[in-house]
Amino acid sequence: KAGVTQTPRYLIKTRGQQVTLSCSPISGHRSVSWYQQTPGQGLQFLFEYFSETQRNKGNFPGRFSGRQFSNSRSEMNVSTLELGDSALYLCASSLGNPGQVNEQFFGPGTRLTVL
Amino acid sequence: GNSVTQMEGPVTLSEEAFLTINCTYTATGYPSLFWYVQYPGEGLQLLLKATKADDKGSNKGFEATYRKETTSFHLEKGSVQVSDSAVYFCALSSSNTGKLIFGQGTTLQVKP
């Protein structure tokens, strides 16, 4: 069974640009969550999508957005990039069954560098 | 709000030494607790979990017990190996959805 895949693995952008990251969950998983990992702030929750609907949202500015498609694949978008957006962006998928403890499987991440 | 606090690293041990990484949490209700491990250049892998008080999670020789009275979930291993060198994250979920709250991570280095 294929794991969670993220593309691209590495990305370099300049300030003011926008970027789109992609995540393909494990087959059969309906929940996709996104996290930002930085040395200073650690791992922070961005948002979760379940069956194409945003189910949870972290404390990030509106420049960070996401969506989920009918095949459960998800994208996140960051507009007007800032230097502080440089981070490892991790995607996690799970079955997402409401009210249950769903094991989350993480992808390898996309390393974004903003110059 | 909910939060997780881990002991600061790095932790450096010799092979076959005993490992403890402390983790305490603050949460309303009854969260589920997790330990994740991150090897260099990789994403996170679930190491073990516990979903209610007094539960013990275990995997690959690692153990952690959900202690509600001390709001703790300390990770232990009796004999570490060089291959255990990684960053370990304690996390909680209070909503049983995709939102995990992580501690800051503890780097473990095991020397031969």
Side-chain angles (χ1 to χ4, degrees), chain A residues 9-10 31 33 35 37 42-45 48 55-58 88 90 94 96-109, chain B residues 31-34 36 38 41-47 49-51 87 89-90 92-93 95-105:
Chain A
R9 291 293 310 278
Y10 302 92
S31 168
S33 298
Y35 294 83
Q37 185 176 21
L43 278 156
Q44 295 186 286
F45 173 78
E48 179 201 9
R55 187 159 72 171
N56 258 308
K57 188 177 187 306
L88 181 67
L90 293 167
S94 74
N97 295 325
Q100 297 181 15
V101 180
N102 294 278
E103 180 176 346
Q104 293 200 44
F105 295 83
F106 282 80
Chain B
S32 296
L33 301 174
F34 307 85
Y36 282 85
Q38 186 175 35
E42 299 184 14
L44 277 70
Q45 299 175 26
L46 178 65
L47 185 57
K49 67 181 180 185
T51 59
V87 182
F89 293 91
C90 184
L92 71 80
S93 172
S95 60
N96 289 340
T97 62
K99 182 176 181 180
L100 288 169
I101 296 172
F102 287 91
Q104 61 267 47

Side-chain angles (χ1 to χ4, degrees), chain B residues 28-70:
Chain B
T28 53
Y30 302 94
S32 296
L33 301 174
F34 307 85
W35 276 100
Y36 282 85
V37 59
Q38 186 175 35
Y39 298 100
E42 299 184 14
L44 277 70
Q45 299 175 26
L46 178 65
L47 185 57
L48 52 85
K49 67 181 180 185
T51 59
K52 61 183 187 298
D54 299 326
D55 263 4
K56 178 186 282 189
S58 61
N59 185 26
K60 299 180 182 179
F62 291 90
E63 293 184 339
T65 301
Y66 188 144
R67 301 284 188 199
K68 189 161 180 62
E69 63 277 10
T70 54

Side-chain angles (χ1 to χ4, degrees), chain A residues 5-109:
Chain A
T5 58
Q6 293 187 244
T7 56
R9 291 293 310 278
Y10 302 92
L11 207 47
I12 299 175
K13 293 285 187 178
T14 57
R15 281 180 298 174
Q17 288 186 310
Q18 74 165 16
V19 66
T20 299
L21 312 181
S22 180
C23 172
S24 292
I26 291 172
S27 177
H29 284 188
R30 294 190 295 165
S31 168
V32 173
S33 298
W34 289 90
Y35 294 83
Q36 181 194 66
Q37 185 176 21
T38 59
Q41 300 298 317
L43 278 156
Q44 295 186 286
F45 173 78
L46 280 155
F47 28 65
E48 179 201 9
Y49 286 87
F50 178 77
S51 294
E52 301 180 68
T53 301
Q54 189 178 86
R55 187 159 72 171
N56 258 308
K57 188 177 187 306
N59 296 323
F60 278 81
R63 300 186 296 107
F64 292 80
S65 62
R67 58 177 175 168
Q68 187 179 34
F69 302 94
S70 58
N71 62 358
S72 292
R73 189 177 70 85
S74 177
E75 289 181 347
M76 67 163 282
N77 184 278
V78 188
S79 62
T80 319
L81 284 165
E82 300 176 0
L83 295 179
D85 297 333
S86 295
L88 181 67
Y89 290 88
L90 293 167
C91 161
S93 79
S94 74
L95 292 172
N97 295 325
Q100 297 181 15
V101 180
N102 294 278
E103 180 176 346
Q104 293 200 44
F105 295 83
F106 282 80

